[in-house]
Amino acid sequence: MDILILLAALAVGFAALGWSADLFVAGASSAAARLGVSALVIGLTVIGIGTSLPEMLVSAIAAIEGTPAIALGNAIGSNIANVGLILGITALATPFAVGHGILRREFPVLMMVVLGTGWVLIDAEVSRLDGVLLLVGMTAVILWLGWEARQDNAHAEVLKREIGQAPTKAMTRARTFIAIGLGLVVLLASSRLLVWSASELARLIGVSDLVIGLSVVAVGTSLPELAAATASVRRNEPGLVIGNILGSNIFNLLAVLGIAGTLAPFAADGPSLLRDYGIMSLFMLAIVPVSLGLRQRGQAGRVEGGMLLLGFIAYQFMLFIVGR
C-alpha cells in the first residue's frame, strides 16, 4: 500500500482522535455537572483522564486486534514524548520556574508507579490480573489526589489548578448526549484507523509494531498534553506543565496498560521491553534535575529543554536504526 495513503490515514486519525476526545470530555463533564458532581471530582476523573484518553483507546484497540506491541509502545513512548518532546519544547520556548512542592508531592508517586509497573512487566507480559492490579493502582492514585486537593494548604491550591478546576461549559441536555455519543463513536473509529494505518506502515517500512508505537503513535497521542502545556504557558502558569506531565505519565502506565491488559492480555519482547522501559525511567528521573535547573536554580531553562529534546530525537533515531 502506498506510504502516502498510510501517512494521510494517520494524520486523519490523529486529528479525529484529538477532536473527539475533547468533544467526549466536554460532554462527560457537562453530564457530570448536571448530576451534581463537584468540580473537583470532574477534574480528577473526567478531565484528568481526558488527556490520556487517546492513549487509552488506541492501546485498547491495538491489544484487542492482536497488535499488542503498539499498545505497549504507545504507553511507554507517550511518557518519553511527554518529557523529552513536550517538556523539552516548552522549556525551550518559555523557561519557567517549577514549584518544589510539585516535585515533593507527585514525583515520588510517579516513581513508585514506574517501579510497580516494572514489577508487573518483569515477566514480559500483561495478564488480566496484571491489568486489574494496574487499574486498582490508578483508582488509589485518584483517591489520593482527591484527598490531597481537599486539604487546606498551598499544595492543595496548586493541585486544584493542575487537575482542572475551570467551570464546565454549560450544554443543553440534547447537546450533552450528542457530544458523548458522537465523541465516543469517532474516538473508536479514529483509534481503529490509527491502529490499522500504524501496523501497515510498520510492515511497509520494515520496522516492528513496537517501534511505530514508541514513535509515530506515541507522539500523535501525546498531542493533548502538548495542547495542555501550551495552554498553561498562555495562561502564564507554565509551572503547571510539570504537574500535568507527571499526572499524564501516571495515567499512561496505570490506566493505559491496565485497560489494554484487562481487555486483551498480551506478551512483549523481553529485551526490547527492558531497553525501552529503562530509557523511559531515565527520562522520568531527568525531570528532577531539569526542574531544579542546571544553570539557574529552580528554573527549567532553554539549556535543559534543549538537552531533553536532543535526547528524545536521539532515541527516535536509535529506534529506527535498530528497527525493533
Side-chain angles (χ1 to χ4, degrees), residues 16-62:
L17 191 67
W19 176 82
S20 57
D22 288 342
L23 182 64
F24 179 81
V25 168
S29 300
S30 176
R34 282 180 166 274
L35 293 172
V37 178
S38 70
L40 174 60
V41 175
I42 294 174
L44 282 167
T45 55
V46 179
I47 297 175
I49 292 173
T51 55
S52 293
L53 198 56
E55 287 94 340
M56 292 181 194
L57 266 294
V58 169
S59 291
I61 294 294

Side-chain angles (χ1 to χ4, degrees), residues 13-324:
F14 285 133
L17 191 67
W19 176 82
S20 57
D22 288 342
L23 182 64
F24 179 81
V25 168
S29 300
S30 176
R34 282 180 166 274
L35 293 172
V37 178
S38 70
L40 174 60
V41 175
I42 294 174
L44 282 167
T45 55
V46 179
I47 297 175
I49 292 173
T51 55
S52 293
L53 198 56
E55 287 94 340
M56 292 181 194
L57 266 294
V58 169
S59 291
I61 294 294
I64 290 172
E65 298 200 344
T67 52
I70 290 179
L72 183 63
N74 186 25
I76 296 175
S78 290
N79 280 7
I80 295 173
N82 282 346
V83 178
L85 182 65
I86 295 171
L87 182 55
I89 288 176
T90 304
L92 267 175
T94 310
F96 59 89
V98 180
H100 290 179
I102 294 176
L103 291 179
R104 284 197 300 267
R105 185 185 64 247
E106 294 178 36
F107 183 76
V109 176
L110 172 61
M111 294 316 298
M112 284 191 292
V113 169
V114 169
L115 290 173
T117 306
W119 176 77
V120 167
L121 294 172
I122 199 167
D123 59 353
E125 65 178 40
V126 181
S127 66
R128 187 161 281 113
L129 176 60
D130 293 335
V132 171
L133 289 175
L134 291 173
L135 292 179
V136 169
M138 185 71 257
T139 303
V141 169
I142 291 175
L143 292 175
W144 173 77
L145 287 172
W147 179 83
E148 277 281 304
R150 290 182 182 277
Q151 305 307 301
D152 187 18
N153 54 46
H155 290 173
E157 292 305 313
V158 175
L159 182 58
K160 287 177 182 178
R161 294 202 303 275
E162 287 175 26
I163 60 180
Q165 287 293 307
T168 303
K169 184 178 179 181
M171 283 187 184
T172 64
R173 183 175 298 176
R175 290 192 64 184
T176 298
F177 281 116
I178 291 173
I180 293 174
L182 181 60
L184 184 58
V185 169
V186 179
L187 268 171
L188 292 172
S190 56
S191 298
R192 174 68 185 85
L193 177 63
L194 271 175
V195 171
W196 169 79
S197 54
S199 59
E200 289 297 321
L201 182 63
R203 294 188 184 93
L204 186 64
I205 64 178
V207 298
S208 69
D209 286 343
L210 179 63
V211 169
I212 291 296
L214 288 163
S215 55
V216 177
V217 177
V219 171
T221 55
S222 294
L223 293 179
E225 281 83 3
L226 180 59
T230 303
S232 295
V233 171
R234 288 178 178 174
R235 292 196 308 265
N236 200 29
E237 291 185 316
L240 293 184
V241 173
I242 291 289
N244 290 334
I245 285 176
L246 291 175
S248 176
N249 287 359
I250 291 171
F251 273 70
N252 285 343
L253 290 177
L254 295 178
V256 174
L257 285 179
I259 291 173
T262 301
L263 293 176
F266 59 88
D269 176 67
S272 297
L273 175 60
L274 180 63
R275 175 199 68 195
D276 299 312
Y277 203 84
I279 291 174
M280 183 203 73
S281 300
L282 291 176
F283 271 96
M284 301 301 101
L285 290 171
I287 292 174
V288 173
V290 166
S291 300
L292 295 178
L294 300 176
R295 297 182 64 186
Q296 184 173 344
R297 186 163 180 80
Q299 178 167 296
R302 290 190 170 88
V303 171
E304 293 86 351
M307 291 175 65
L308 285 178
L309 191 56
L310 285 175
F312 177 77
I313 293 172
Y315 172 65
Q316 296 298 310
F317 269 112
M318 181 274 291
L319 283 177
F320 282 92
I321 290 173
V322 174
R324 53 172 294 175

